[in-house]
Amino acid sequence: MTRPFKLLVFLVVLLLVSGGSLVAVWAQRDDENPVTILGPWTDTEEEHFEAVLRELGIPFDYQGTAAQREVLLSKVQAGEPPDIAIMPGVGELAEYAGQRLLQPLDDLVDEDEYGSPWQSVSRTSDYVYWVPVKADLKSIVWYRPGNKPAAAPAPMESWCIGMGDAGASGWPGSDWIEDLVLQREGPDIYGKWALGDERVPWTGDAVRTAWEAWAGLLRQNRKATGHALRTDRRGDPDEDRNGLLFSGRGGCTLEHQGSFAPAFYNEHPVGLADSAPLLPGGPYQVRAHEVTGDFAALFSDRAPARKLIEKLASAEGQRKWAEFPDVFSANRLVQPKSGRIGDAIAARLTGRGPRCLDASDVMPPALRDAFYEATLLTMARIAAGEDPDIPHLLADLQNIKRSQPTNSASLRTVCSSASKGARGSA
């Protein structure tokens, strides 16, 4: 009898004699392994998030990457997904849930702690599959001190714009289009478009006129448009990524960016204003504020992973996370720290006005990616002095939309006017 065969017989006998205790040992060793987490935060944000994870008291192995969509897909295809994945938006996670790759969180998350519109996207029709562990505000503009904008559309020369982002270049352009649809048409039309309702197609007036208004801004300065196309949205890496306001094109004083932007300003003082009056074709009244989130989902049923996501989503875990600058929580039991900018953001996140989730974040990934690419193509053509051919671009997006499964069956709405929402600190 060969040695490997003797070892196999020994293990089988041991398993039979122990009454399954060997399986229990293997399971115990599995539970002792660190919880693997894939998330979007790198550099300083990664250090802050890992500090929160350490306080939760569960061993972990965190991987931060700006290309988490691609990294997660490769891990899933290899059969080795992380225990927990944190993704911006739910469109991608909805596909994994449809493939039965996610574990339900119903017994781990108290939905009552999360106000709207977060509850509307916390679940599919049957189960809770993800929870927002960080919230951010959009539909805002940052400006340099001493350059407070007038309540009127700003020229292209005033805007600091960067379209580059590892793994997702083009999304800053989608933010412009989304904000224009929201402020021009209101939450009802915006929500129908985001969820793929045939009554608001890509080729319809609501989206087309918003896209044309944005293209009109870009045409004002082809050189600045070309610069924006080649610029990273986080700023110049040769200038320590001071953010676009402080390392961008000379003379620009405004940035249409979410509440996460100051993480790249290196503590430079900035001002904050609503975007609606400044958007091209305006001024518009503030119809609503767009919001976005980073959502945690569970690929593993391991006990430590379940416990970690439960702690992270709890009010206590969210308070620890929201102690850091520029971090806001969607858990409505978390009180924001005082501060001029923090108060301004919290007031918009928790105020009476409607809040709508980022439209591209709830779209199927193929449509979302095509949306990003279409904004890049629009800019490239304008920078080259060509006609962007917006009707053709939108027709292509409409065709892609028709080929994709809709999220409207699992998401009730992306907008809400409820007064209780996200809170946070700054």
Side-chain angles (χ1 to χ4, degrees):
M1 184 181 296
T2 64
R3 183 173 181 182
F5 185 74
K6 289 181 180 179
L7 178 60
L8 176 61
V9 171
F10 171 74
L11 289 174
V12 171
V13 172
L14 178 61
L15 177 61
L16 294 174
V17 172
S18 63
S21 62
L22 187 58
V23 174
V25 170
W26 284 341
Q28 182 179 357
R29 286 182 178 176
D30 186 54
D31 284 347
E32 290 175 353
N33 290 331
V35 176
T36 55
I37 306 168
L38 178 69
W41 302 299
T42 59
D43 302 325
T44 301
E45 291 178 301
E46 177 176 347
E47 294 174 4
H48 292 169
F49 185 58
E50 288 188 337
V52 173
L53 293 176
R54 283 191 289 272
E55 287 198 47
L56 300 182
I58 298 173
F60 67 89
D61 181 7
Y62 174 75
Q63 179 183 359
T65 173
Q68 71 271 25
R69 295 182 175 107
E70 291 75 17
V71 173
L72 178 59
L73 179 60
S74 67
K75 288 180 177 291
V76 170
Q77 291 176 339
E80 299 178 350
D83 293 315
I84 297 171
I86 302 174
M87 303 291 289
V90 300
E92 204 130 16
L93 293 175
E95 288 200 344
Y96 288 122
Q99 298 167 17
R100 300 185 182 278
L101 294 175
L102 300 184
Q103 299 294 325
L105 306 180
D106 297 70
D107 59 337
L108 304 177
V109 175
D110 186 350
E111 282 191 279
D112 291 337
E113 292 184 1
Y114 288 84
S116 57
W118 312 103
Q119 285 182 340
S120 67
V121 292
S122 291
R123 60 167 55 242
T124 64
S125 56
D126 298 317
Y127 300 103
V128 174
Y129 278 114
W130 44 77
V131 59
V133 294
K134 184 176 182 289
D136 278 294
L137 177 70
K138 293 189 175 182
S139 299
I140 54 175
V141 169
W142 299 97
Y143 61 88
R144 293 182 186 178
N147 292 273
K148 184 175 182 179
M156 184 62 181
E157 287 76 11
S158 297
W159 292 105
C160 303
I161 303 175
M163 300 293 284
D165 192 2
S169 293
W171 69 256
S174 72
D175 274 8
W176 278 89
I177 303 297
E178 291 162 3
D179 206 6
L180 278 160
V181 172
L182 181 58
Q183 308 308 337
R184 290 166 60 96
E185 309 294 339
D188 182 61
I189 295 297
Y190 173 92
K192 287 183 172 66
W193 167 58
L195 292 177
D197 192 313
E198 286 292 344
R199 291 170 290 181
V200 187
W202 286 85
T203 51
D205 288 345
V207 181
R208 178 181 53 78
T209 56
W211 207 294
E212 289 174 346
W214 181 59
L217 173 70
L218 301 176
R219 287 191 186 97
Q220 292 177 12
N221 190 321
R222 287 168 44 195
K223 182 177 180 181
T225 297
H227 182 276
L229 190 62
R230 301 186 300 271
T231 300
D232 191 294
R233 62 100 182 171
R234 294 161 292 187
D236 189 339
D238 294 331
E239 298 183 29
D240 297 324
R241 291 216 186 278
N242 283 323
L244 293 180
L245 276 180
F246 302 98
S247 66
R249 174 175 48 85
C252 65
T253 58
L254 307 176
E255 184 177 8
H256 182 268
Q257 190 63 274
S259 56
F260 41 78
F264 298 104
Y265 293 161
N266 289 339
E267 300 183 358
H268 287 291
V270 288
L272 174 68
D274 288 319
S275 62
L278 308 174
L279 296 175
Y284 309 105
Q285 296 295 317
V286 178
R287 303 287 293 274
H289 282 95
E290 192 177 356
V291 296
T292 187
D294 293 291
F295 294 81
L298 190 61
F299 280 82
S300 164
D301 201 31
R302 295 203 301 134
R306 293 176 60 82
K307 191 63 177 177
L308 190 149
I309 205 168
E310 180 182 25
K311 286 188 172 186
L312 181 61
S314 69
E316 180 181 359
Q318 288 290 286
R319 288 190 189 102
K320 295 180 185 298
W321 187 205
E323 288 176 358
F324 289 99
D326 311 315
V327 173
F328 292 83
S329 174
N331 189 308
R332 63 189 186 188
L333 299 183
V334 178
Q335 296 293 326
K337 288 182 178 179
S338 61
R340 181 177 58 86
I341 296 297
D343 288 346
I345 293 173
R348 290 164 172 81
L349 281 171
T350 65
R352 294 181 180 179
R355 291 172 299 279
C356 299
L357 286 158
D358 183 297
S360 59
D361 283 351
V362 303
M363 293 176 182
L367 179 57
R368 174 206 63 210
D369 292 346
F371 186 7
Y372 296 169
E373 291 173 6
T375 65
L376 294 173
L377 186 55
T378 298
M379 296 185 73
R381 288 174 174 172
I382 290 175
E386 302 173 1
D387 180 359
D389 196 1
I390 293 170
H392 187 264
L393 286 175
L394 296 182
D396 286 346
L397 290 171
Q398 181 67 12
N399 289 334
I400 294 172
K401 176 258 172 188
R402 286 174 176 162
S403 71
Q404 299 297 306
T406 178
N407 284 334
S408 59
S410 58
L411 304 180
R412 297 185 294 274
T413 180
V414 298
C415 296
S416 177
S417 58
S419 62
K420 293 182 178 180
R423 298 182 181 274
S425 67

